[in-house]
Amino acid sequence: MSELVVIELSLAETRLAILGEAQKCFAQIICIESDIQRSYDRLFVQSWLLGKSLSALKTEIGHSRWLYWLGANWSELGERRAQRAMALFTANPSLSNPSNLTDFSVDSIRAFLGGYIPAKIRPQLPGDQKLNHGPNQWNFVNDLNKFHQQISKGLIPRPSVEDAQRQLAPSLDVMLDLAGPEWVMERARAKV
């Protein structure tokens, strides 16, 4: 036998050995995927049943007392898990006896599984820090702007001119003191 034929046979045997290993791995993957599918089916059916029971309990206990009751009587369940199970039930109310994942709406599956997705890990970068947006000396300006936006959008009624003048007079006196009367007058002339 020539040397080339021996090398070709050796390569073919190597390829067959690698293919055999790959096929064994693939067979294991198929088994694992089947186990996962069965687990998903059980997870969704049991979570739906839990959500059904919790929704009935919440109706019985009352909406305003529900979280207190849950924390006092079943703290290990947790508020978020209870909400997810109840949301799964609420999103699929027409089911009477679900048996597998395909019985549930796609949107409810996505929403339910979102609770299992870990938070995104973000590397700490220079300058990353929590900003404290606590009280500061300019909060009153922001509050006044928010108040004006709510009036402009019709979310709250516009106060009468007399009421606005009475309420704003002390603040206007402070603004005159801080910014100077000339600046306030200049702004007033610019608006007219």
Side-chain angles (χ1 to χ4, degrees):
M1 227 188 286
S2 76
E3 192 175 307
L4 185 58
V5 172
V6 172
I7 291 173
E8 283 296 320
L9 285 175
S10 176
L11 287 174
E13 290 171 353
T14 303
R15 287 181 189 137
L16 282 175
I18 294 171
L19 177 61
E21 283 298 312
Q23 288 173 333
K24 287 179 189 175
C25 289
F26 181 66
Q28 288 295 314
I29 288 171
I30 295 298
C31 289
I32 293 168
E33 285 177 344
S34 294
D35 290 345
I36 289 171
Q37 185 61 49
R38 282 190 297 277
S39 294
Y40 269 138
D41 290 342
R42 287 192 313 268
L43 171 67
F44 272 83
V45 169
Q46 291 305 311
S47 295
W48 184 86
L49 290 169
L50 173 64
K52 182 179 180 180
S53 298
L54 291 174
S55 294
L57 265 174
K58 184 176 181 179
T59 301
E60 178 70 27
I61 291 164
H63 181 74
S64 60
R65 295 187 308 254
W66 169 245
L67 291 179
Y68 297 113
W69 183 92
L70 187 63
N73 293 283
W74 200 1
S75 60
E76 63 270 17
L77 175 63
E79 180 182 340
R80 185 65 192 123
R81 181 172 277 157
Q83 288 171 340
R84 286 179 37 240
M86 289 165 48
L88 182 65
F89 170 72
T90 304
N92 300 280
S94 62
L95 297 177
S96 59
N97 190 18
S99 61
N100 61 47
L101 191 62
T102 59
D103 294 336
F104 299 93
S105 72
V106 173
D107 289 339
S108 71
I109 293 170
R110 286 188 182 128
F112 183 81
L113 290 177
Y116 292 102
I117 298 171
K120 185 176 181 179
I121 297 172
R122 184 171 174 256
Q124 190 69 26
L125 301 173
D128 281 356
Q129 66 228 12
K130 291 274 186 189
L131 297 176
N132 181 6
H133 294 290
N136 69 55
Q137 68 272 18
W138 299 112
N139 280 0
F140 77 96
V141 175
N142 294 332
D143 290 341
L144 184 61
N145 285 330
K146 287 177 191 174
F147 176 66
H148 185 255
Q149 286 175 1
Q150 289 175 332
I151 291 171
S152 299
K153 292 178 181 177
L155 300 173
I156 58 174
R158 183 179 203 91
S160 68
V161 173
E162 296 80 21
D163 190 33
Q165 289 173 346
R166 187 178 68 258
Q167 295 294 330
L168 290 172
S171 298
L172 184 57
D173 291 341
V174 172
M175 286 186 259
L176 287 167
D177 184 45
L178 290 173
E182 299 82 19
W183 181 81
V184 173
M185 292 300 292
E186 182 181 318
R187 295 288 301 163
R189 280 192 291 273
K191 286 293 268 183
V192 176

